[in-house]
Amino acid sequence: MRYMEDTLLHHLHTNDTEALKTFLFTIEELPLLQVFTSLSANEKAIVFRLLPKDKALALFEALQPTAQHHLLRSFTDEGATEFFNDMAPDVRVRLLDELPASVTKKLLQSLTASERDATNLLLGYERETAGRLMTPEFITLKKEMTVEDALAKVRLQAREKETIYTLYVTDQRKKLHGVLSLKELLIAEGSQLIADIMSHEVIYVATDTDQEEAARLLNEIDVIALPVVDRESLIVGIVTADEGRHILEDEAIEDMF
Amino acid sequence: MRYMEDTLLHHLHTNDTEALKTFLFTIEELPLLQVFTSLSANEKAIVFRLLPKDKALALFEALQPTAQHHLLRSFTDEGATEFFNDMAPDVRVRLLDELPASVTKKLLQSLTASERDATNLLLGYERETAGRLMTPEFITLKKEMTVEDALAKVRLQAREKETIYTLYVTDQRKKLHGVLSLKELLIAEGSQLIADIMSHEVIYVATDTDQEEAARLLNEIDVIALPVVDRESLIVGIVTADEGRHILEDEAIEDMF
């Protein structure tokens, strides 16, 4: 174990990211957990982000809730941010695997908007992508809920969510199955199932979709928000029409000069 | 009575609008009602629109519901439309008093969008004003309603209303007293009164507000819709942000040529 820890720290302190990445790719789950707990907050953030997605998810789920919380807070630390900031964007894109959707959600929800800004680099979303624009403030429903249950959930969560006029239907893993408007929910009978009133045609963008492309889509299809999904089609955020308009306005101003 | 009827028909058939207007200004309520019922549909529409607002309201309320309905339908008749179309816009503005808000509401609600277009001239709303843009599809609440009552009303009416995400609070006469978002309604406790959760600061436009001014206002203050009020501050319609955007886009295209 001592050897594992020394190797990891050596790669970390010599900034040898490629060697670190290879090391993390080969290490088993249990030794990883043991080495991980002995690291400093900054080191944890860096190591965690260099893990492949499946290992990151396993490690995160093995941590106690308090340790999970500390790990997510460390994503805003300057040391970790600088580490990734020093990389060229293409290297960063190659080295940082997508975060598991459940981790992304917890991370985005535990941060204020300005803190979110600071973690964008660690999230692995490059500049001017939908991932950078998205907000975690949306409400999800389940197919098997009744309209009354769903309305109760909306009323409970409305205060803390930016967008409540579009509702997303997902399974337990947050895979996107449908969408409906709050208006459609209000019109339906209380005993109807969400599965029966939702629309199956969901237009979405990916975290790495260019922000202008997302903005143009929002402008064209006249919706309040577009869901943003990761590579597993799990919903990780939404981009609102307001954000889209700001992007198009900024772009129009840029084009004038 | 015969004399009254002859005089009115004479002015009508000689297209002497000024004389007709003066005659209608002086005639008493009861003889007016008697003469009115003997007119053809086209003639009814023309005479009704040339009445001063208070007389129009009194006459309308004296009619049976079926007669009210027929009168409103006659507003789309070609004969009546042509009569007003032949006038210069400034003459039309001077001759046509504002319709009573209760009549406007019934009229707009009984017509399809394209029929509404055809009645704009008789409504007295000039081209490129908020009156021409507005839709009657909005929900009004009363101050003394509870949140639960209000939510029940919203669910009942949502299907037929274009805009349900902004709710307008009025008195019996439809005078605008406040505004709240559907989100605010959903967040509130079921037993709270609308009077206690509504915002008293309502930004509105008038029926004769220039459409570009209304569109700019909508764009600046980031609301879903703006209420449109008549000269008595009674709400007669709303202009949606979507409509506003179309106006600004059309204007941007015009400016290119």
Side-chain angles (χ1 to χ4, degrees):
Chain A
M1 195 45 51
R2 190 70 225 158
Y3 166 74
M4 289 283 188
E5 193 173 336
D6 285 349
T7 311
L8 191 147
L9 286 176
H10 174 74
H11 294 327
L12 202 54
H13 296 157
T14 55
N15 262 350
D16 192 347
T17 328
E18 301 282 351
L20 189 55
K21 181 91 186 161
T22 312
F23 174 82
L24 291 171
F25 193 77
T26 51
I27 191 171
E28 296 291 327
E29 203 175 314
L30 196 64
L32 171 64
L33 182 61
Q34 287 169 322
V35 173
F36 190 78
T37 50
S38 68
L39 298 174
S40 73
N42 271 351
E43 290 166 348
K44 276 182 183 149
I46 295 167
V47 165
F48 186 76
R49 282 310 283 121
L50 289 175
L51 286 171
K53 190 173 182 177
D54 55 342
K55 276 196 178 157
L57 182 59
L59 174 65
F60 192 78
E61 287 178 347
L63 295 175
Q64 299 293 332
T66 331
Q68 287 182 345
H69 179 74
H70 284 145
L71 174 61
L72 295 180
R73 297 300 314 177
S74 71
F75 275 37
T76 51
D77 274 10
E78 251 182 62
T81 310
E82 269 173 27
F83 182 89
F84 291 104
N85 204 19
D86 287 346
M87 295 176 183
D90 58 324
V91 175
R92 201 161 51 217
V93 167
R94 185 166 49 76
L95 287 180
L96 269 69
D97 200 354
E98 192 173 71
L99 269 184
S102 56
V103 178
T104 306
K105 195 188 165 197
K106 283 208 182 98
L107 178 65
L108 292 179
Q109 285 181 341
S110 69
L111 303 174
T112 65
S114 60
E115 285 173 332
R116 269 206 307 274
D117 251 16
T119 59
N120 275 322
L121 217 56
L122 264 89
L123 272 165
Y125 304 138
E126 289 301 313
R127 285 170 65 82
E128 308 198 339
T129 62
R132 283 283 182 109
L133 282 188
M134 71 188 187
T135 139
E137 293 169 12
F138 58 94
I139 295 178
T140 59
L141 304 174
K142 299 270 173 291
K143 279 188 200 178
E144 55 277 11
M145 280 182 172
T146 64
V147 166
E148 279 310 328
D149 291 345
L151 192 53
K153 180 171 186 186
V154 171
R155 291 183 74 172
L156 207 64
Q157 296 198 342
R159 193 183 296 272
E160 61 214 36
K161 304 292 181 178
E162 185 176 344
T163 297
I164 67 161
Y165 298 143
T166 304
L167 306 162
Y168 301 96
V169 185
T170 70
D171 60 19
Q172 215 57 47
R173 285 187 67 224
K174 297 291 169 201
K175 193 170 168 79
L176 196 55
H177 288 281
V179 67
L180 76 162
S181 70
L182 180 57
K183 185 172 177 174
E184 288 164 323
L185 185 69
L186 287 171
I187 289 169
E189 292 293 325
S191 57
Q192 278 185 280
L193 290 183
I194 295 303
D196 297 331
I197 62 166
M198 73 182 197
S199 158
H200 294 79
E201 312 264 310
V202 193
I203 299 171
Y204 57 85
V205 291
T207 52
D208 59 358
T209 299
D210 182 86
Q211 64 174 17
E212 270 185 42
E213 195 186 319
R216 276 177 211 295
L217 194 56
L218 271 165
N219 192 45
E220 266 166 38
I221 61 174
D222 195 28
V223 290
I224 292 173
L226 273 180
V228 183
V229 302
D230 69 6
R231 285 198 292 273
E232 295 176 79
S233 295
L234 308 188
I235 183 169
V236 284
I238 58 166
V239 181
T240 64
D242 279 349
E243 276 292 346
R245 266 195 295 285
H246 294 152
I247 297 293
L248 293 183
E249 279 165 16
D250 289 350
E251 179 212 356
I253 291 166
E254 266 171 38
D255 287 353
M256 285 161 89
F257 296 100
Chain B
M1 196 46 49
R2 191 70 225 155
Y3 165 74
M4 288 283 190
E5 194 172 338
D6 286 348
T7 312
L8 191 147
L9 287 175
H10 174 75
H11 294 328
L12 203 53
H13 297 155
T14 54
N15 262 349
D16 192 346
T17 329
E18 300 282 352
L20 189 55
K21 181 91 186 162
T22 311
F23 173 82
L24 291 172
F25 193 77
T26 52
I27 191 171
E28 295 290 327
E29 202 174 314
L30 196 63
L32 171 64
L33 182 61
Q34 287 169 322
V35 173
F36 190 78
T37 49
S38 68
L39 298 174
S40 73
N42 271 349
E43 291 167 346
K44 274 183 183 147
I46 294 167
V47 165
F48 186 76
R49 280 311 283 122
L50 289 174
L51 286 171
K53 189 173 183 178
D54 55 342
K55 277 197 176 156
L57 183 59
L59 175 66
F60 192 78
E61 288 178 346
L63 295 175
Q64 299 291 331
T66 331
Q68 287 184 347
H69 179 75
H70 286 144
L71 175 60
L72 296 180
R73 299 299 316 176
S74 71
F75 275 36
T76 51
D77 274 10
E78 252 182 61
T81 310
E82 269 172 27
F83 182 89
F84 290 104
N85 203 20
D86 288 345
M87 294 177 183
D90 58 325
V91 175
R92 201 162 51 218
V93 167
R94 184 167 48 78
L95 287 180
L96 270 68
D97 200 355
E98 191 173 72
L99 269 184
S102 56
V103 179
T104 306
K105 195 188 165 197
K106 282 207 182 97
L107 179 65
L108 293 179
Q109 284 180 341
S110 69
L111 304 173
T112 64
S114 60
E115 285 173 332
R116 266 205 310 272
D117 251 15
T119 59
N120 275 322
L121 217 53
L122 263 89
L123 272 165
Y125 303 138
E126 290 301 313
R127 285 170 63 82
E128 308 199 339
T129 62
R132 282 283 182 107
L133 283 188
M134 71 188 186
T135 141
E137 293 169 11
F138 57 94
I139 296 178
T140 59
L141 304 174
K142 298 271 173 293
K143 279 188 202 177
E144 53 278 9
M145 281 180 169
T146 64
V147 166
E148 279 311 329
D149 292 345
L151 193 53
K153 181 172 185 185
V154 171
R155 292 183 73 172
L156 207 64
Q157 297 199 342
R159 192 182 299 272
E160 61 214 35
K161 303 294 180 176
E162 184 175 343
T163 298
I164 68 160
Y165 298 143
T166 304
L167 306 162
Y168 302 96
V169 185
T170 70
D171 60 20
Q172 215 58 45
R173 287 186 67 225
K174 296 291 172 203
K175 194 171 166 77
L176 195 55
H177 288 282
V179 67
L180 76 163
S181 69
L182 180 57
K183 185 172 178 177
E184 288 164 324
L185 185 69
L186 288 171
I187 289 170
E189 293 292 325
S191 58
Q192 278 186 280
L193 289 182
I194 295 303
D196 296 332
I197 63 167
M198 73 182 196
S199 158
H200 294 79
E201 313 263 311
V202 193
I203 298 171
Y204 57 86
V205 292
T207 52
D208 59 357
T209 300
D210 182 86
Q211 65 176 16
E212 270 184 42
E213 194 186 320
R216 275 176 210 296
L217 194 56
L218 271 165
N219 193 44
E220 265 166 39
I221 61 174
D222 194 29
V223 290
I224 291 172
L226 272 180
V228 183
V229 301
D230 69 7
R231 285 198 292 275
E232 295 176 80
S233 296
L234 308 188
I235 184 169
V236 285
I238 58 165
V239 180
T240 64
D242 279 348
E243 275 293 347
R245 267 196 295 284
H246 294 151
I247 297 293
L248 293 184
E249 279 165 17
D250 289 351
E251 179 213 355
I253 291 165
E254 267 171 38
D255 288 353
M256 283 161 91
F257 296 101

